[in-house]
Amino acid sequence: MSAPPGRAGSPAATLLRLHRNRPAPVAGERCEMCAVPVEGEHQHVVDLENRGLMCCCRACCLLFTEDGARLRYRTVPDRYLSFDGVPLDARAWDELQIPVGLAFLFRNSVQDRVVAFYPGPAGATESELPLDAWALLVSTVPELAVVCPDVEALLVRRTERDGRAGVASCHLVPIDACYELVGRLRALWRGFDGGQEAHAAMDAFFERVESRSRPARAATGDGAS
């Protein structure tokens, strides 16, 4: 059926034609740089200017892996290390000015400072670390200096045992794993301390981290990254 005279070029006809010719949306996630499809398990790139994480394909991730290069983007590596004997007693923890027993610490290269984030019902809360306290900690445990700025974090969890606080675990992890944990806890958090579901999620997360981790002394000693 032909269009009525004078109506073929009307705005309504144009919109209808565009709607009919529009390609179907593509299902699944896509690389935020080149738009190719990416699998469920994929790497991320950090935008250093806005601290955002971008889902990227392997080809785009390889563009931002060079150490020392002045780049706006940095690829998040897939490295897990465990640190034993980190001296974070109650006094040292207080000097870092972190009010809860779970936090991840990383160096922001743009601001040239170390920051800590800890989870809660509203998501991740930022706390600027005192530089002297962080420098003292690194001087005591030199292996901590291997944490790559912006893309890796030191994840620390302190718990009480026999009525005394102590370090339950201390790991180097990819920064996207930290934000994954924060998002998970935000969805589950109940009450003042998070509740049973949030604590179960933390236990499961740290079990996974432990299973992926290598001892930091062995990894730094053999030159591995």
Side-chain angles (χ1 to χ4, degrees):
M1 180 178 179
S2 59
R7 301 292 295 173
S10 69
T14 301
L15 289 174
L16 180 61
R17 186 170 60 254
L18 290 174
H19 176 75
R20 289 172 176 171
N21 296 334
R22 185 174 60 187
V26 179
E29 292 187 272
R30 304 182 73 84
C31 175
E32 295 184 57
M33 288 191 166
C34 71
V36 303
V38 294
E39 298 179 356
E41 292 289 333
H42 56 265
Q43 286 183 274
H44 294 93
V45 166
V46 174
D47 184 335
L48 302 186
E49 292 188 4
N50 60 27
R51 309 304 315 166
L53 283 176
M54 304 172 63
C55 300
C56 288
C57 65
R58 178 169 175 76
C60 288
C61 284
L62 290 175
L63 298 175
F64 308 106
T65 58
E66 183 178 352
D67 293 336
R70 296 178 62 86
L71 301 171
R72 172 177 172 174
Y73 304 100
R74 287 286 180 189
T75 298
V76 179
D78 186 21
R79 180 167 70 156
Y80 289 80
L81 302 177
S82 60
F83 299 90
D84 295 325
V86 177
L88 279 176
D89 56 15
R91 178 179 178 182
W93 194 252
D94 289 342
E95 289 177 350
L96 291 175
Q97 298 180 12
I98 300 174
V100 297
L102 173 64
F104 63 94
L105 297 66
F106 72 94
R107 177 170 291 280
N108 184 322
S109 65
V110 174
Q111 300 179 3
D112 192 25
R113 63 184 177 92
V114 178
V115 295
F117 286 85
Y118 50 90
T125 300
E126 180 177 350
S127 173
E128 183 175 346
L129 292 184
L131 294 180
D132 291 344
W134 173 251
L136 178 61
L137 181 61
V138 174
S139 67
T140 305
V141 187
E143 292 85 1
L144 297 180
V146 304
V147 181
C148 294
D150 306 303
V151 294
E152 292 181 329
L154 184 67
L155 181 64
V156 181
R157 185 186 187 189
R158 299 178 74 245
T159 58
E160 288 191 1
R161 294 177 180 174
D162 300 326
R164 300 181 62 183
V167 175
S169 62
C170 183
H171 295 83
L172 177 152
V173 299
I175 194 70
D176 52 4
C178 295
Y179 289 121
E180 174 191 344
L181 174 62
V182 168
R184 178 66 173 159
L185 294 181
R186 181 178 183 180
L188 298 174
W189 199 278
R190 299 292 184 273
F192 177 76
D193 67 347
Q196 185 175 355
E197 283 189 279
H199 283 274
M202 277 189 270
D203 291 339
F205 178 83
F206 277 91
E207 287 178 6
R208 188 180 68 179
V209 167
E210 186 64 40
S211 69
R212 294 185 177 185
S213 297
R214 294 185 298 158
R217 292 184 183 275
T220 55
D222 61 17
S225 61

